[in-house]
Amino acid sequence: MQIRVMVATKREELIECLKAGAEFEKNKMKVVSWVQSNEELFRQFTVHLPRLLIVDSEFVDMDMAVFVSKVHELKDNCQILIIGDPRDTILMYQLLNVNARIWGYLAWPLDIKELNAQLPKLSEVIRTVTLPQIQHENCVAMRSLYFWELMFEDSDLARDYTFANHIMNTRFQDGIFRILFFRFDQTLGAMPNFKNREFFYDLTPMQQEVEMAVNDAIYEYCYDMMFDFRFNGVLSIINYAPEFEKNITDTFESVWTRVDEYTRKNYATTVTLCVGSGYADFAMVQKSRDEAFRAAWTRLQKGTSRVLYWNKKNSIQENYDENMRKIVDALRLACDTLNYQDLEKGIDDLFALPDYVLSDYKTRGYIHSFVDYFFEVNGAQLANYMSVAEECELVKKTLNYSYTLDIYKQNLKQQFRQMFELLMDDMEKQNVRTLRKAIKYIKANYNHPISAEKLAEVVNLSPVYFSHLFKKQIGMSMTDYITDYRMKIAKSKLLETDDTIYEIALSVGFQEQRYFSKRFKQIVGMTPTEFRKLK
């Protein structure tokens, strides 16, 4: 398998040098993208996920340490090779701060032999995968899958914690199992520009702070704990002996205080800790999760930024699947008809559902399925403006990074408003081209019979839709337009030629003089004979 390489530079000389002399193919490497702007780099990077990035220092328009961090946020095992001026002291200082995170530095002008000497070493390092790496990646993947099965699928295997202990090196035991949901309430910062490949780089540190706070406060009392980083907070399963129930519950206020202070200070975001009940049966973890989610919902009435428990007196309908399916069906219909007002109504209906339903993975699955459907239906038209596959993934990523529901709703409307505008504009242009083609045919064939079916065939539309489109765009029916055009020609011939009225009628597509005269009088207000006297 070839190693994917991306080259980022604005220097044409460097591109020519690499194309002419770099031994990529010899080292089983392939350049998947040559980029010449930072915006293009991060857009292409998320598509190709290269293992090697060769970057010109002149290309980078930010602090090199920040640039390297952004790259490794997207793919942490990407090797970076920098080409630049060795006399650039500021750059060299920046590189000292990130030296452990880059492969090396080559001077400009580039010595191609020096680069080719580095490529075999890079290839070997990139292709070498250690056993700990495999174990770590497999463990992370299995934890994610396990959490999904446990929390959102009715899986007997996931409910067997001995299986989790065996596969993922966890240490769950018989005792109490409880769910904690740290819900990020709001963010006061500006929304990043996803079109320019800007992201919320602060989301992961917030989630990690939650994990550290829980660990520091209660790990000594627990058999084990597991965390799931979500787009709007962190879910945690904690497992502990019954005798430590009070020790653990007494820490909830202090854990919440630490996390809330941290997120307020650093990210202008408040946090609500939503606590599910503790159960001695591992199979009841889903029930604890439901209680934590419902507590998150009640924060809208009870207030955010606090510790909340689910009050069982607050009865909320549990099954929203049928509502969700109806809403998604309505969204799909709006997509089929390109009716943005109906789409907005569907989105409003969606966000009228309880908070805990909207934050569920199943809901995100419904929304992502609608996004896929939208691009599947409209992909051919949108392909004139963008890479459809890339844009589809970008929309999903934009939504996933919206870690408050208000921003999620705002982004959902904004993303599709832009798409609808493109599609409507494209449709208007297509309609104009279609009508021009139809009118051209009418003007060339007005002296022959013209039916709606024939015109629809000429423009490759159904007769019913074409008739509707024609009247909507032109302001009169197709039949009236043809008759009106024929009368214009007839008036001209009556004034400019000595042809008989019968000959003129035949020349403009009428088979009978009597019917021609009748229609002429209806439209012009006088008979053909009376009109001819005006010349």
Side-chain angles (χ1 to χ4, degrees):
M1 186 175 177
Q2 289 183 308
I3 294 169
R4 299 182 301 279
V5 181
M6 181 178 285
V7 179
T9 180
K10 297 176 183 177
R11 298 188 224 240
E12 293 294 338
E13 309 97 295
L14 178 54
I15 294 175
E16 291 172 9
C17 176
L18 292 173
K19 286 184 176 179
E23 297 175 344
F24 292 124
E25 190 171 343
K26 179 180 176 181
N27 291 284
K28 297 182 179 179
M29 296 178 173
K30 179 182 179 181
V31 179
V32 293
S33 184
W34 304 80
V35 297
Q36 295 184 295
S37 71
N38 279 266
E39 176 185 348
E40 187 183 5
L41 172 97
F42 290 111
R43 179 164 53 83
Q44 291 292 334
F45 197 100
T46 56
V47 173
H48 298 292
L49 295 176
R51 295 299 306 278
L52 171 61
L53 174 63
I54 300 175
V55 60
D56 184 353
S57 63
E58 282 197 354
F59 171 88
V60 180
D61 60 3
M62 62 186 77
D63 182 272
M64 186 59 72
V66 174
F67 175 81
V68 171
S69 295
K70 284 194 172 189
V71 169
H72 284 123
E73 286 273 355
L74 297 174
K75 188 168 181 65
D76 60 2
N77 62 351
C78 176
Q79 297 290 342
I80 301 177
L81 182 62
I82 298 173
I83 299 172
D85 187 343
R87 295 168 298 179
D88 187 342
T89 55
I90 295 176
L91 173 63
M92 299 308 292
Y93 175 76
Q94 291 174 357
L95 292 181
L96 286 174
N97 295 327
V98 292
N99 191 48
R101 306 191 71 188
I102 61 173
W103 170 263
Y105 179 86
L106 296 178
W108 175 260
L110 178 64
D111 182 344
I112 199 66
K113 291 181 180 179
E114 188 177 351
L115 172 67
N116 287 334
Q118 294 296 322
L119 292 182
K121 301 174 187 176
L122 271 162
S123 180
E124 182 180 357
V125 168
I126 291 170
R127 291 179 184 281
T128 301
V129 181
T130 64
L131 184 59
Q133 276 181 290
I134 295 173
Q135 290 173 332
H136 172 72
E137 289 178 7
N138 284 346
C139 183
V140 169
M142 285 298 297
R143 276 179 178 260
S144 177
L145 177 62
Y146 183 78
F147 215 109
W148 178 277
E149 291 289 326
L150 174 66
M151 303 302 285
F152 306 106
E153 304 292 339
D154 192 15
S155 167
D156 292 333
L157 187 63
R159 293 169 188 272
D160 180 2
Y161 68 76
T162 57
F163 171 75
N165 292 342
H166 174 68
I167 295 295
M168 290 171 288
N169 198 31
T170 50
R171 294 174 296 280
F172 291 137
Q173 298 182 33
D174 286 339
I176 302 298
F177 295 90
R178 186 192 289 270
I179 293 292
L180 307 179
F181 179 29
F182 291 82
R183 174 66 161 82
F184 298 157
D185 295 317
Q186 60 186 328
T187 175
L188 306 180
M191 189 67 187
N193 185 338
F194 287 91
K195 287 287 183 184
N196 294 336
R197 281 329 192 247
E198 297 174 7
F199 298 100
F200 276 126
Y201 289 101
D202 55 332
L203 189 58
T204 298
M206 289 166 63
Q207 294 165 328
Q208 289 172 339
E209 178 65 21
V210 170
E211 184 174 357
M212 286 189 292
V214 175
N215 267 293
D216 291 348
I218 64 175
Y219 189 77
E220 62 179 305
Y221 303 115
C222 292
Y223 295 133
D224 208 347
M225 56 183 68
M226 188 185 293
F227 295 89
D228 180 35
F229 289 1
R230 312 185 81 235
F231 80 108
N232 62 348
V234 178
L235 271 174
S236 175
I237 307 174
I238 58 175
N239 169 224
Y240 51 90
E243 58 264 31
F244 293 126
E245 172 77 10
K246 187 172 189 312
N247 302 74
I248 285 176
T249 54
D250 284 349
T251 66
F252 289 159
E253 284 287 343
S254 61
V255 170
W256 163 75
T257 300
R258 169 177 163 177
V259 173
D260 193 61
E261 287 178 353
Y262 173 83
T263 55
R264 279 176 183 270
K265 178 181 178 182
N266 294 283
Y267 303 104
T269 301
T270 61
V271 174
T272 300
L273 171 54
C274 310
V275 183
S277 301
Y279 293 97
D281 183 356
F282 189 64
M284 298 294 284
V285 165
Q286 272 194 330
K287 186 171 178 59
S288 184
R289 177 214 66 165
D290 289 344
E291 292 174 352
F293 278 4
R294 285 164 173 74
W297 170 243
T298 64
R299 81 193 202 291
L300 299 179
Q301 290 86 36
K302 297 181 179 180
T304 57
S305 186
R306 56 189 296 185
V307 179
L308 286 176
Y309 297 83
W310 168 240
N311 181 351
K312 295 181 181 179
K313 293 180 182 177
N314 296 332
S315 176
I316 295 180
Q317 180 184 349
E318 293 190 17
N319 192 345
Y320 281 87
D321 276 2
E322 187 61 30
N323 298 38
M324 189 68 68
R325 277 192 290 270
K326 287 180 180 178
I327 291 169
V328 172
D329 286 345
L331 289 172
R332 290 189 173 202
L333 182 60
C335 162
D336 291 336
T337 58
L338 282 183
N339 188 321
Y340 184 72
Q341 286 72 29
D342 286 352
L343 181 86
E344 274 203 325
K345 182 182 182 303
I347 293 174
D348 289 337
D349 290 342
L350 176 68
F351 282 85
L353 296 175
D355 179 282
Y356 76 87
V357 174
L358 292 169
S359 63
D360 195 282
Y361 274 112
K362 189 182 290 185
T363 301
R364 285 171 58 187
Y366 276 120
I367 295 174
H368 280 200
S369 72
F370 164 66
V371 173
D372 289 333
Y373 181 81
F374 176 84
F375 281 98
E376 180 185 336
V377 170
N378 298 294
Q381 284 175 273
L382 290 172
N384 297 321
Y385 304 97
M386 64 189 69
S387 165
V388 173
E390 285 182 31
E391 194 68 23
C392 181
E393 289 308 308
L394 176 60
V395 169
K396 291 179 184 176
K397 188 168 288 186
T398 303
L399 297 176
N400 288 347
Y401 272 84
S402 308
Y403 58 87
T404 71
L405 291 173
D406 285 343
I407 293 178
Y408 198 109
K409 178 180 179 180
Q410 172 189 326
N411 283 337
L412 197 58
K413 286 187 175 182
Q414 181 180 351
Q415 291 291 317
F416 282 101
R417 184 184 300 114
Q418 293 169 354
M419 300 292 176
F420 269 64
E421 286 173 357
L422 278 177
L423 290 167
M424 294 305 293
D425 184 55
D426 188 63
M427 183 175 283
E428 285 296 322
K429 290 176 183 175
Q430 286 187 19
N431 289 343
V432 169
R433 288 193 292 268
T434 297
L435 292 172
R436 282 179 178 173
K437 189 174 181 180
I439 289 170
K440 183 178 179 182
Y441 181 87
I442 291 169
K443 290 182 177 180
N445 296 277
Y446 67 87
N447 55 335
H448 299 293
I450 303 175
S451 66
E453 289 74 14
K454 180 60 181 176
L455 266 181
E457 182 184 333
V458 168
V459 295
N460 198 28
L461 292 175
S462 74
V464 174
Y465 178 73
F466 173 70
S467 297
H468 170 75
L469 174 66
F470 196 100
K471 186 167 185 178
K472 179 182 176 183
Q473 297 290 328
I474 303 299
M476 65 175 72
S477 70
M478 181 201 68
T479 304
D480 288 345
Y481 181 88
I482 294 171
T483 303
D484 188 64
Y485 184 73
R486 283 170 170 167
M487 293 306 164
K488 266 188 204 172
I489 302 296
K491 286 193 291 184
S492 177
K493 288 188 174 188
L494 285 166
L495 296 177
E496 297 173 7
T497 73
D498 293 324
D499 293 348
T500 66
I501 293 174
Y502 176 69
E503 289 171 334
I504 292 174
L506 289 176
S507 72
V508 294
F510 286 86
Q511 302 304 310
E512 296 181 5
Q513 178 180 335
R514 180 186 242 176
Y515 182 62
F516 165 73
S517 297
K518 179 181 177 182
R519 292 292 287 138
F520 191 95
K521 186 172 183 179
Q522 286 174 342
I523 293 169
V524 180
M526 60 183 76
T527 66
T529 304
E530 292 170 339
F531 185 82
R532 172 164 266 175
K533 290 178 181 178
L534 297 176
K535 75 173 174 177

